[in-house]
Amino acid sequence: MNRYFVHLLLFLFIAPPAFSQNIRIQITAPKEFKGRKAILLTREKGFAAIVHSIKLNSDIFNLEIASDLVPDLYQLHVSQVKGSLFFFLEPGARIQLDTTDVSKSIVSNSKSNPEWKLFQDSLQKPYDQRIIIYSEGEKRARKERNADSLNYWVEKQAIEKENLVRKTGEYIADHTDSYVSLYLLKINWYAFKNDKLFERLDKTLAGHRTYKFLEDKNRKTEKAGTLGQHL
């Protein structure tokens, strides 16, 4: 785990706790799911932490969470069902569980999840699909020991990654009042720290712990830049 995420985890989980609140969400499932375990996890790059383990004995769940930690991206697993759902946990969200694949579950009564779906459908998923193709090309080139082909597929992946970063920055700039943008800026901080994207975020996000974390990171970046100009 790199230093950035160690600092992030220390901030999120060791920082003085904010006032906790009961976050009420609804998870609708068929009768045969009654009693099954559902697990909610927070998400970071390469990291997941179990936050809540619940049993599907009813449709309504009250989760005690610090008030400045939602909305944020979570991952939902359900025992004996394949797949997992990535969604933004926020008060009042409703999840209609898919009985064969949790990833296909539908989230409603939420402002953040349509924004998350827009980012996923328009940027992340197309990127993932192209990267799979380019990675397969790289594997074939390595197997065939074809240097020209290998360079081609490696370059295609590098360009694709650069394009995703650029388009993610554009998404954040176009959705400055979105907790999805706050999350995306957090996980891509080092790519955007000098792009003044943080300053463009709407102040309605300022109560979130991630905003405060990035505010501190941004202050340190600006200070380092000022010192560099005087050297």
Side-chain angles (χ1 to χ4, degrees):
M1 189 181 299
N2 65 36
R3 186 179 300 175
Y4 169 74
F5 287 107
V6 171
H7 290 168
L8 175 61
L9 294 175
L10 287 172
F11 182 84
L12 293 180
F13 298 107
I14 300 179
F19 173 74
S20 293
Q21 61 177 333
N22 283 325
I23 304 298
R24 175 172 288 194
I25 64 171
Q26 182 175 356
I27 302 178
T28 304
K31 291 181 180 179
E32 58 266 30
F33 276 40
K34 186 174 182 179
R36 291 194 190 184
K37 180 185 289 187
I39 298 176
L40 283 164
L41 310 96
T42 56
R43 293 300 313 177
E44 297 297 340
K45 278 185 175 179
F47 177 82
I50 295 178
V51 177
H52 289 282
S53 178
I54 57 179
K55 285 194 175 181
L56 301 176
N57 290 323
S58 66
D59 289 348
I60 304 298
F61 299 90
N62 292 299
L63 309 175
E64 188 172 332
I65 301 176
S67 58
D68 63 350
L69 285 178
V70 288
D72 208 351
L73 186 68
Y74 278 68
Q75 184 178 2
L76 174 66
H77 291 282
V78 177
S79 63
Q80 303 176 50
V81 187
K82 74 173 184 178
S84 60
L85 175 68
F86 290 86
F87 75 106
F88 268 73
L89 179 67
E90 56 189 328
R94 297 179 188 139
I95 302 172
Q96 177 67 54
L97 282 180
D98 187 281
T99 58
T100 58
D101 187 341
V102 177
S103 68
K104 296 179 180 179
S105 301
I106 298 173
V107 183
S108 60
N109 198 39
S110 163
K111 177 182 181 295
S112 297
N113 281 287
E115 296 167 347
W116 175 244
K117 188 175 187 302
L118 173 64
F119 174 80
Q120 289 291 308
D121 291 348
S122 62
L123 297 179
Q124 189 66 55
K125 290 180 181 178
Y127 163 82
D128 291 340
Q129 292 167 358
R130 288 191 288 267
I131 285 295
I132 289 173
I133 294 172
Y134 301 157
S135 296
E136 289 299 320
E138 179 186 351
K139 289 178 183 178
R140 288 195 302 271
R142 290 187 183 280
K143 186 176 181 180
E144 296 167 1
R145 298 185 179 181
N146 185 328
D148 290 338
S149 180
L150 176 61
N151 290 336
Y152 171 81
W153 291 115
V154 169
E155 184 178 358
K156 291 284 284 186
Q157 291 176 74
I159 292 172
E160 199 66 43
K161 291 174 182 177
E162 289 177 2
N163 286 339
L164 178 63
V165 170
R166 175 178 56 80
K167 291 177 181 178
T168 299
E170 292 171 355
Y171 180 95
I172 294 171
D174 290 339
H175 300 82
T176 55
D177 64 343
S178 171
Y179 288 98
V180 174
S181 293
L182 184 64
Y183 170 80
L184 292 172
L185 184 56
K186 174 183 67 175
I187 66 171
N188 294 285
W189 174 250
Y190 285 112
F192 298 133
K193 67 177 184 177
N194 295 316
D195 293 348
K196 300 297 182 180
L197 280 176
F198 175 78
E199 288 84 351
R200 299 177 67 173
L201 292 178
D202 196 283
K203 294 299 183 182
T204 57
L205 309 178
H208 200 287
R209 198 177 301 186
T210 295
Y211 185 98
K212 297 171 185 175
F213 172 75
L214 292 180
E215 186 175 39
D216 181 62
K217 298 289 290 183
N218 190 60
R219 188 181 302 111
K220 291 177 180 177
T221 297
E222 290 181 338
K223 184 177 180 180
T226 301
L227 289 174
Q229 291 175 1
H230 290 85
L231 291 179

